[in-house]
Amino acid sequence: MSSKPPIISIEGVTKRFGDHAAVDDVSLTINEGEFFALLGPSGCGKTTLLRMLAGFETPTEGTIRIDGKDTDGVPPNRRPVNMVFQSYAVFPHMSVADNVAYGLKIDGVAKAERDRRVEEALALVQLEGFGGRMPDQMSGGQRQRVALARALAKRPRVLLLDEPLSALDAKLREAMRFELASLQHKVGITFVMVTHDQDEALALATRCAVMERGRLIQLATPSDLYEFPNSRFVADFIGTVNMVEGTLKTDNPTEAIIATKELGDVYIDHAVLGNEGATLYLALRPEKISLFRRDGVVPPKLEDCPEGYNVVAGVIDHIAYLGSESVFKVILTNGRQMLVIRPNLTRWDQEDFVEEQPVWLSWHACAPAVLAG
Amino acid sequence: MSAPGDDGVLAAEIADAQFGPAEVSAAVATARPRRNTPGPLDYLRRWPLQLWLVIVGLFLYLPLITLMAFSFNDSKRNIVWRGFTTDWYVKALTDSSLLEAFGNSLSIAALSTIASVILGALAAVALWRFDFRGKTAFEGAMAMPIVIPEICMGVAMLVFFARIMPWPQDLVWPFNLGPIVIAHISFSFPFVAVVVRARLASFDRSQEEAARDLGATDAQAFRDVLIPHLKPSLIAGALLAFTLSLDDFVITFFTAGPDTITFPVKVYSMVRFSVTPEVNAASTLLIVLTVLLTVVALRFQNPKEVAGA
């Protein structure tokens, strides 16, 4: 795939509204066939970037190439991309079939061919036989399918999706998530999705761009974003995390020790490559922390850590039992609160951990992500 | 759209209104506790409110009913009832000057309505879509004809067409109606603009963007998406402009020439001689026509679209 030229390349794009830079010097490329997600909190510029791809906004600086061609000055109706709007924007005065046919009609596709492609697009989103309905006779989920079919009927090179699942209720969102993935698989075209929902991005995307205040913070696969965040912002935004501040005490090629106020000295089994005494941050995911009952006084020993490292004592303060797993709020002896997630692997083992139970928390030497800023 | 819960309450209220409290209370008692205060529809069953309703109805419609009734009066004077006749209708319908005035009124109303709808809709769209210098001033200036006293407008039009832009006499139809049509457009298009702007507020702009995204030019998106959305307001605005034009007296009186008498002006001049039942008959015909037009316009509007889907 890397041998092919990218379908979209964004080079140094900045979009300013007055003094405010909604998108600030973003460069990235999207490959053919990717399911690409633009992820970030609201107001981070992800929607502006998507709208620039569609042609509804023009970059103040930089170039956007779609399929190798510079899009500068190309209006939305001449771009090989189609968009599914957050509000779906289904035309209320047209039947479902007319909605789907609209783009083809504008393009002058002959009636017979048009009808065939409308049928095909409706079948793709599992709305066969709904062509005669009016949009107000359809549910929100169905209207979204109409919007999808309408965009896909044009056979675009890239499909743009603006918060595609945000308006659906939780159950439907889950179902639609799988359906979007399989739809992309079927049609094989590039999807670019904007979302503020990290679950959505992690579940669907092949790669995600995390944005904050107009800037691109990290561009990576979902698992890299989660396991190897490049900043406190990404670590915090994707999933939940226990963030601990510390200073670099020892830094060798194969190991490092970071002194923290709250967790004591933390042992890391790789080099950090920083100056000794530098301020660092440890991002420790809740599920990467193990929980042991603290009935005696002997702390557990982790095979990859030296004795006495990466083990702290605390007391379970609160438990959120979620069925498949439990979330524990543990208060350490120094008052710091830590989140721990523990899968309920057997039908009894959660009985060992009840509120007020003294526990040991421990984590492997490779568990925390060490972040510079 | 109401939440499912609302339907139950509404249904119960409708049931109350249809069957009265006794029958319903038995059926509803198990479903929900009976309220002590009457619901919105309950008030209509109490006699003071019913009386009030009758008084308001009489206040509104008694003059009109009198007018219509006396149009069938077999008497030259309009005071004493002397028996039923339709002679006055025959007379009104064969009175060539009255018919001409009526024709003029309809032509003026039609022409000024078409122009007002186009101008008003475009003005509304411009104000909605664009930000430009002096927008507030433009908006204010556009709303002026709504607030300026009609008599001032009338005098202004008279002076304007007498001094600034004298309208040539003896032109063929419909050019002889020019001054009146222009005057009518100037006071009715702001009303259209107001109605259309209200409708524009509920427009989802991403629909227009969706049309553009699907390959439509700006003009095509305007035609295929915005105009259908505005249709109810365009019809309502047209109806408003038409009726405003049809029954305007003051401004028309100042701009009408000797051969461009409109229906209200003609009726006024007839009344100055004597109030014969012929005037009643003509007025009744006008009322029937406007009511019919309204009914047709309401039928034409899709009630769902009016609700603003």
Side-chain angles (χ1 to χ4, degrees):
Chain A
M1 204 177 279
S2 56
S3 60
K4 276 204 250 171
I7 182 85
I8 290 175
S9 84
I10 296 168
E11 293 154 26
V13 165
T14 296
K15 174 69 184 178
R16 266 189 276 276
F17 295 107
D19 290 338
H20 169 71
V23 174
D24 192 357
D25 194 21
V26 169
S27 296
L28 58 90
T29 58
I30 299 170
N31 297 319
E32 182 110 50
E34 257 194 301
F35 199 135
F36 194 90
L38 290 165
L39 178 62
S42 59
C44 73
K46 56 192 192 300
T47 302
T48 309
L49 194 59
L50 192 80
R51 289 173 59 81
M52 284 195 278
L53 291 178
F56 296 123
E57 309 283 355
T58 43
T60 317
E61 286 161 34
T63 3
I64 295 176
R65 273 179 235 282
I66 298 175
D67 207 10
K69 289 187 234 15
D70 191 347
T71 58
D72 187 36
V74 180
N77 49 330
R78 301 250 182 80
R79 296 189 179 207
V81 301
N82 282 111
M83 185 150 160
V84 176
F85 290 81
Q86 186 171 13
S87 63
Y88 313 146
V90 171
F91 307 134
H93 57 281
M94 294 184 197
S95 71
V96 168
D98 288 343
N99 259 286
V100 179
Y102 183 75
L104 304 173
K105 214 165 170 177
I106 291 282
D107 286 354
V109 176
K111 177 99 172 72
E113 164 78 358
R114 205 161 70 207
D115 289 348
R116 202 180 56 70
R117 274 168 72 174
V118 168
E119 275 308 304
E120 188 185 288
L122 285 177
L124 212 49
V125 296
Q126 288 153 34
L127 282 183
E128 296 108 321
F130 281 79
R133 294 254 195 127
M134 292 306 281
D136 60 5
Q137 299 170 299
M138 307 194 75
S139 69
Q142 287 173 323
R143 254 177 282 173
Q144 180 177 47
R145 286 159 197 264
V146 176
L148 267 170
R150 186 175 66 178
L152 288 171
K154 291 263 297 181
R155 295 182 183 156
R157 298 298 309 274
V158 180
L159 185 73
L160 308 174
L161 302 124
D162 187 4
E163 302 272 5
L165 306 177
S166 64
L168 304 175
D169 60 65
K171 262 270 159 59
L172 198 55
R173 198 180 310 161
E174 201 123 308
M176 203 60 202
R177 200 185 279 169
F178 285 113
E179 217 168 295
L180 267 184
S182 78
L183 185 65
Q184 201 251 349
H185 214 75
K186 256 189 278 181
V187 295
I189 60 177
T190 313
F191 280 28
V192 179
M193 170 179 77
V194 153
T195 179
H196 67 271
D197 181 343
Q198 37 128 346
D199 286 347
E200 209 170 293
L202 296 188
L204 282 170
T206 48
R207 282 196 306 155
C208 299
V210 180
M211 292 180 68
E212 189 210 15
R213 285 196 229 129
R215 299 191 144 269
L216 175 64
I217 306 291
Q218 188 171 8
L219 174 58
T221 61
S223 65
D224 278 2
L225 277 185
Y226 187 79
E227 307 293 4
F228 303 96
N230 67 356
S231 59
R232 274 190 293 162
F233 172 77
V234 174
D236 206 28
F237 187 70
I238 311 282
T240 44
V241 74
N242 297 293
M243 194 72 71
V244 182
E245 192 181 325
T247 51
L248 187 56
K249 195 171 164 189
T250 317
D251 191 12
N252 295 324
T254 55
E255 59 177 13
I257 292 171
I258 294 163
T260 69
K261 225 182 261 166
E262 291 160 325
L263 303 180
D265 285 358
V266 174
Y267 177 79
I268 309 284
D269 66 355
H270 56 82
V272 171
L273 303 178
N275 297 323
E276 281 182 18
T279 304
L280 292 172
Y281 299 91
L282 293 170
L284 194 51
R285 297 284 184 199
E287 77 281 2
K288 299 200 167 48
I289 301 174
S290 309
L291 217 49
F292 298 92
R293 282 171 70 103
R294 182 158 62 94
D295 298 323
V297 287
V298 184
K301 166 87 175 74
L302 293 172
E303 62 276 14
D304 63 346
C305 301
E307 189 86 53
Y309 279 97
N310 298 0
V311 178
V312 292
V315 174
I316 294 174
D317 181 51
H318 184 76
I319 304 169
Y321 177 73
L322 302 178
S324 61
E325 62 192 29
S326 296
V327 182
F328 296 84
K329 199 168 99 186
V330 178
I331 306 287
L332 302 186
T333 42
N334 59 21
R336 158 86 198 207
Q337 176 194 312
M338 297 285 280
L339 282 180
V340 179
I341 293 176
R342 190 168 173 281
N344 294 320
L345 293 177
T346 75
R347 291 164 63 196
W348 296 276
D349 68 352
Q350 72 276 11
E351 289 166 13
D352 283 349
F353 297 96
V354 292
E355 286 174 13
E356 311 291 329
Q357 166 71 39
V359 288
W360 296 106
L361 279 106
S362 72
W363 57 94
H364 285 279
C366 60
V370 183
L371 306 169
Chain B
M1 301 294 126
S2 56
D6 295 343
D7 291 342
V9 176
L10 189 65
E13 274 165 4
I14 290 168
D16 276 11
Q18 281 173 348
F19 305 116
E23 294 95 313
V24 174
S25 57
V28 174
T30 49
R32 68 188 170 101
R34 181 115 187 106
R35 284 185 305 238
N36 288 326
T37 50
L41 294 175
D42 293 350
Y43 280 109
L44 275 182
R45 280 203 318 275
R46 313 209 157 175
W47 73 264
L49 206 76
Q50 286 175 341
L51 182 68
W52 179 247
L53 214 64
V54 170
I55 291 170
V56 171
L58 285 178
F59 178 78
L60 285 177
Y61 291 108
L62 201 56
L64 284 178
I65 292 165
T66 315
L67 173 100
M68 290 181 177
F70 275 90
S71 72
F72 297 104
N73 189 6
D74 192 7
S75 158
K76 251 209 178 292
R77 293 174 194 282
N78 233 338
I79 309 156
V80 190
W81 181 260
R82 292 200 182 233
F84 182 86
T85 179
T86 52
D87 287 353
W88 298 111
Y89 284 89
V90 176
K91 189 148 190 261
L93 288 171
T94 50
D95 182 339
S96 66
S97 67
L98 192 63
L99 282 180
E100 194 198 320
F102 194 63
N104 278 341
S105 270
L106 286 182
S107 317
I108 292 163
L111 290 172
S112 74
T113 297
I114 293 167
S116 301
V117 167
I118 294 170
L119 278 177
L122 289 180
V125 170
L127 283 171
W128 167 72
R129 172 164 305 172
F130 303 113
D131 254 328
F132 48 87
R133 260 149 65 103
K135 182 172 167 172
T136 325
F138 179 72
E139 253 187 296
M142 209 183 70
M144 280 294 244
I146 298 179
V147 289
I148 289 180
E150 261 196 285
I151 184 75
C152 301
M153 280 279 280
V155 174
M157 288 290 171
L158 176 69
V159 173
F160 180 78
F161 284 112
R163 299 271 163 218
I164 314 290
M165 206 178 92
W167 200 262
Q169 298 291 313
D170 303 325
L171 290 175
V172 293
W173 186 93
F175 297 102
N176 58 342
L177 304 173
I180 309 181
V181 171
I182 291 171
H184 282 201
I185 292 169
S186 71
F187 72 74
S188 50
F189 95 90
F191 286 95
V192 178
V194 167
V195 175
V196 172
R197 262 201 104 176
R199 178 72 182 164
L200 277 168
S202 69
F203 182 66
D204 173 13
R205 287 199 80 157
S206 59
Q207 275 186 32
E208 203 180 16
E209 288 182 340
R212 297 275 286 133
D213 186 66
L214 291 165
T217 60
D218 272 327
Q220 283 169 324
F222 184 80
R223 182 195 68 197
D224 295 339
V225 178
L226 195 58
I227 295 286
H229 177 81
L230 294 182
K231 203 173 86 185
S233 71
L234 294 177
I235 292 170
L239 198 66
L240 200 57
F242 194 84
T243 41
L244 280 173
S245 166
L246 205 59
D247 73 9
D248 178 74
F249 173 77
V250 178
I251 293 171
T252 316
F253 187 72
F254 283 96
T255 40
D259 57 342
T260 54
I261 298 293
T262 68
F263 186 77
V265 177
K266 175 70 188 168
V267 168
Y268 172 71
S269 68
M270 285 165 78
V271 168
R272 279 172 70 191
F273 294 115
S274 68
V275 187
T276 63
E278 189 189 345
V279 176
N280 292 24
S283 306
T284 304
L285 287 175
L286 188 63
I287 291 168
V288 169
L289 180 81
T290 21
V291 169
L292 276 180
L293 272 177
T294 314
V295 169
V296 168
L298 288 177
R299 277 278 169 87
F300 190 60
Q301 281 176 303
N302 184 347
K304 265 179 202 157
E305 270 180 328
V306 179

